[in-house]
Amino acid sequence: ITPACNHGRFIAAAIRSAQAQDLGDWEMWVVDDASTDGTAAAVAGLAAGDPRVRLLRHDENWGMSRLADSYNQALERSRGEWIAILEGDDAWPPGKLGRQLAQLERAPDVILGYGRAQLISPAGMPLGETTDGLPGRFQRYFRDFRGPLLEPLLLRPCFIHPVTVLIRRPALERIGGFRSFPGLGLTDHPTFLELAELGPFLGSSAVLGLYRRHRGSQSLNRIVELTRGERRLAFARVDGLPASGRRRALRRRMERSWSLEETRALLTAGRLRLLRRQRGDARASLRSSLATAFGTPFPSLRRLALGFFALGVLGASFLPVNPERVAGWARGRRASLLERSEGT
């Protein structure tokens, strides 16, 4: 399933990465959400020579609030035993489907398989891995892990990247297809939480997806909004569990973890706005990051460290030069991940 909206620069690379797989028995449903940049024409051109590629086009933009509907529109038309996700600005590495399917067919109880994702720039250059910033206790879920993932998925923004997943169709149908949550323009986290209640997941140590960061990335442009929405989702699910000592302990862990994630999101938003020369908005985000970092008694060392970093960035925002560029000089003229994601 390939949702796309104004991905004209990247959609051909996404489709060709599927066509290059060593496993050829697949179908791709591209759901074009009323793009205005030629996305549909690019898909139609590639589909003309490959009947496995099919196009659904919306006459009007459904937007992020109806993203699950777009996914389910494709799901209803598809026939595959396994469901994969390849968003229109992402890509797959060679051999992803065959390698992953072989692993999952040896694990009939597994509901969903996933793996590592490599971050790539707008031009397709490697930037690192999406797991690089994960705390150590989450890294183990990418070391050929097999087991339940419900509680880890409640503790932070979704760390399973959709571009890496394969989902058993019966399990997806059992939960009613792709899920949404009010006010959250994402379908991955709500869907994975539902699936995690059905059975174990299988996490591979292999890179199974190429996740593109670019100026139009929703994960960057809406990072604070999405983080807060995922926090509401997580707490809504845990508050629906029966009252118990375990639930209270889990809720305390969630409070600490999500405060850290909100601090991080506000700091990232501030740095991104500085790069875009939006200094007033950047300072507002950085001040909010400080308030989140230091606003509760006994913050964790990680949250304190982020708070002091945000304080330094805030102070540097009053310099006549861009702080990200100054930091780049200090790193030996190396651009930061945010700069490379922007294509600058």
Side-chain angles (χ1 to χ4, degrees), residues 277-295:
R277 298 182 175 85
Q278 301 165 351
R279 295 202 176 216
D281 290 341
R283 290 168 188 151
S285 293
L286 293 167
R287 290 188 184 102
S288 295
S289 181
L290 288 171
T292 307
F294 301 122

Side-chain angles (χ1 to χ4, degrees), residues 19-288:
Q19 292 171 325
Q21 295 296 306
D22 52 4
L23 179 73
D25 186 15
W26 51 262
E27 59 180 344
M28 172 186 278
W29 286 91
V30 181
V31 185
D32 177 37
D33 195 17
S35 295
T36 58
D37 70 342
T39 296
V43 175
L46 288 164
D50 191 341
R52 298 173 298 179
V53 181
R54 299 162 187 200
L55 175 65
L56 290 169
R57 192 174 189 201
H58 297 162
D59 293 330
E60 297 180 353
N61 182 265
W62 290 13
M64 298 296 290
S65 63
R66 294 190 61 191
L67 185 59
D69 292 337
S70 293
Y71 273 83
N72 287 326
Q73 187 183 28
L75 179 64
E76 289 166 4
R77 289 164 171 77
S78 68
R79 297 167 297 167
E81 179 183 350
W82 292 91
I83 304 300
I85 298 170
L86 177 58
E87 295 186 353
D89 50 352
D90 294 335
W92 283 336
K96 171 257 193 338
L97 287 180
R99 180 188 309 120
Q100 191 172 20
L101 192 59
Q103 289 179 323
L104 290 167
E105 287 182 337
R106 293 193 297 268
D109 61 325
V110 167
I111 299 294
L112 178 150
Y114 65 94
R116 296 180 180 273
Q118 185 174 67
L119 283 168
I120 58 174
S121 72
M125 300 300 292
L127 301 177
E129 289 190 11
T130 55
T131 53
D132 289 346
L134 277 179
R137 67 184 185 277
F138 288 92
Q139 294 284 352
R140 70 186 187 94
Y141 300 122
F142 294 87
R143 295 178 185 140
D144 297 321
F145 169 84
R146 179 174 173 174
L149 267 190
L150 180 59
E151 286 196 10
L153 284 169
L154 290 170
L155 288 171
R156 68 183 324 278
C158 191
F159 54 87
I160 296 175
H161 278 269
V163 70
T164 72
V165 306
L166 278 182
I167 308 169
R168 287 190 191 274
R169 185 189 193 96
L172 195 52
E173 290 176 339
R174 185 174 164 187
I175 66 168
F178 289 93
R179 310 292 293 181
S180 61
F181 181 74
L184 176 63
L186 292 175
T187 189
D188 54 354
H189 209 167
T191 302
F192 298 163
L193 281 171
E194 293 274 358
L195 289 169
E197 295 189 356
L198 300 183
F201 285 14
L202 182 67
S204 172
S205 59
V207 171
L208 298 176
L210 307 177
Y211 177 62
R212 196 183 306 270
R213 293 280 291 268
H214 57 90
R215 192 174 181 86
S217 295
Q218 293 297 314
S219 59
L220 273 180
N221 293 327
R222 300 171 60 230
I223 187 170
V224 175
E225 175 191 345
L226 293 176
T227 300
R228 288 172 173 168
E230 288 183 87
R231 177 178 181 147
R232 289 195 305 273
L233 165 69
F235 278 93
R237 290 200 71 87
V238 79
D239 288 343
L241 298 174
S244 66
R246 182 180 177 185
R247 190 188 80 167
R248 288 191 294 273
L250 175 59
R251 213 179 187 286
R252 286 194 295 271
R253 289 168 60 204
M254 289 170 63
E255 289 283 4
R256 293 193 297 269
S257 182
W258 282 103
S259 293
L260 175 67
E261 295 304 328
E262 186 169 352
T263 301
R264 193 193 315 277
L266 287 160
L267 172 58
T268 300
R271 292 177 60 198
L272 185 63
R273 287 165 176 165
L274 279 177
L275 267 178
R276 294 176 179 176
R277 298 182 175 85
Q278 301 165 351
R279 295 202 176 216
D281 290 341
R283 290 168 188 151
S285 293
L286 293 167
R287 290 188 184 102
S288 295

